[in-house]
Amino acid sequence: MMLPPSLEELIDKNHPVRIVNQVIDKINIDPLLKKFKGGGTSSYHPRMLLKVLIYGYLNNTYSSRRLESALKENIHFMWLSGMNKPDHNSINRFRSERLKDVLKVVFGQVVELLVEAGHINLKEIFTDGTKLEAQANRYTFVWGNAIKSNKAKMAEQLNELWSYAEKVAWEELKDQKPETFAPINSNQVSEVIEKIDKALEGKKVSNDKKQKLNYAKKHWPAAMERYAEHEKLLGNRNSYSKTDPDATFMRMKEDHMKNGQLKPAYNIQLSSQDQFIVNYSLHQNTTDTSTLKSHLKSFHNLYGHYPEVLVADAGYGSEENYDLLAKRKVSAYVKHNQFDREQRNKLTDWFKSENLEYDKKNDQVYCPIGEPMKYIGEATRITANGFKQTYHKYQASKCKGCPVRDVCHSQKGNRIVDINHRLRKLKSQANERLTSEVGISYRKKRAADIEPVFGNIKHNKNFKRFMLRGLRKVEIETGLLAIAHNLAKATA
């Protein structure tokens, strides 16, 4: 053509790429600009790179190499970048390094623009979690239980060697026995092995003990150092992947092998309103219960307030979470683990302690056949998050000869039960809210609000595995997905 059309003419007025351009032009990217030092050669503008990434995730283009190609071939990317052509290294470096600790602020500004446009109001949110596979090898793992087992075997064999050495060289070791053989660190193991080796020097030692001692001297101190490194990376987890130490092995719904195999993954927590994502957070926990505290804190950090209403399923129905939401003055429409069974009238196991009738006036519990169980004391438990739970103990007095004794309990003597009165009260309050007219409406709306968001990400956008490794980088990808989802929803 003698006068070829401009890119501006080739793009529809209501095309999503224009929405991405308009929205990102409105937000304040000063925190992102501070990541760039002055001087040096010219670089691509961070606002342009941010637009390209967000539109890429909106358009199901996640690979930095595919984005590089699109910037040379796709008119929408070419228009958005102003014909700039950053290579895949520049794109990936910007995504994985420059957006750290910044993208969440950008996400918050996008949500606030949606509030201004009247799409959402941030007063009521629907929260749920899903697991997405990490970019890690599925067969290179470290298990916390395996480390404990190996250390226990090491302690047992160390004790055997010491006992043998005492028989052979009692005089040398009679005053040197350590208080415990539970290996604490590499130095302790080396010290015990050195004492045994020195005591047996010049003595007649059986070949198998000599081989075991030489093996221990050569391998055990190094093994203890390796275990210490593993335990540091594990923290409170029971597993991690060697190729992405931040990823935890979790049971996934997407099980292509149909064998229940655990895979390295991250637990994504999302809150939505009218299918717009209003908050996201990444966790290494395999369950949702202990994620709510930090997820709610993330919401407050973004918007300066807590939501008025939070709706969630039974995965969040714990004493700690009910207590947290009450303190934050958030109306909690959150199921507990027995709610659905109670609603279906299938709660028939009256032998369980949580179903026993309680007499508050006399502070006693009635066993399944109506006999009183007397209060005998209290006990406390500390959760993984440090939350203190208090249990009241009650003991029966006539278990001997009871006709239902065998199905009631297997304890020796009279049955003792632990009752958490605080949790019982919170569950009762939750039942009242959930079975109210408003509660029923929220319960119906929950599945239609948050579940389609996960369906869109995993199936429509075909995002079933992260591209980057490490918790902070994976959080960036989640933020890009969330922004892209919201902008696509706004243009629908």
Side-chain angles (χ1 to χ4, degrees), residues 268-286:
I268 301 178
Q269 294 293 306
L270 296 181
S271 290
S272 69
Q273 186 183 106
D274 290 333
Q275 298 181 6
F276 286 95
I277 299 173
V278 298
N279 188 28
Y280 67 88
S281 59
L282 263 288
H283 305 268
Q284 298 167 296
N285 314 55
T286 56

Side-chain angles (χ1 to χ4, degrees), residues 383-400:
T383 68
N385 284 351
F387 182 78
K388 183 179 179 181
Q389 296 177 313
T390 302
Y391 292 83
H392 289 230
K393 290 180 169 291
Y394 299 87
Q395 186 173 29
S397 58
K398 298 180 181 179
C399 287
K400 188 175 181 180

Side-chain angles (χ1 to χ4, degrees), residues 30 76 114 138 153 215 221 230 282 357 396 466 486:
D30 286 347
H76 302 118
L114 292 171
R138 296 168 180 169
K153 289 177 183 178
Y215 182 88
H230 290 331
L282 263 288
E357 183 184 350
F466 287 106
N486 285 348

Side-chain angles (χ1 to χ4, degrees), residues 124-188:
E124 52 187 36
I125 63 173
F126 300 84
T127 300
D128 204 352
T130 191
K131 298 176 180 69
L132 268 178
E133 192 173 350
Q135 182 60 248
N137 191 309
R138 296 168 180 169
Y139 307 104
T140 56
F141 41 73
V142 173
W143 295 100
N145 288 339
I147 293 174
K148 291 177 184 177
S149 176
N150 290 339
K151 289 174 73 173
K153 289 177 183 178
M154 195 182 295
E156 183 181 349
Q157 292 180 42
L158 205 57
N159 193 24
E160 288 178 6
L161 284 171
W162 187 277
S163 299
Y164 174 81
E166 278 186 322
K167 293 177 183 178
V168 177
W170 182 81
E171 283 293 331
E172 289 84 344
L173 294 176
K174 62 180 181 180
D175 298 323
Q176 300 184 50
K177 188 168 184 177
E179 294 181 5
T180 176
F181 282 96
I184 298 174
N185 55 49
S186 176
N187 292 334
Q188 184 205 42

Side-chain angles (χ1 to χ4, degrees), residues 262 290 315 348 457 488:
L262 302 179
S290 56
T348 56
I457 291 172

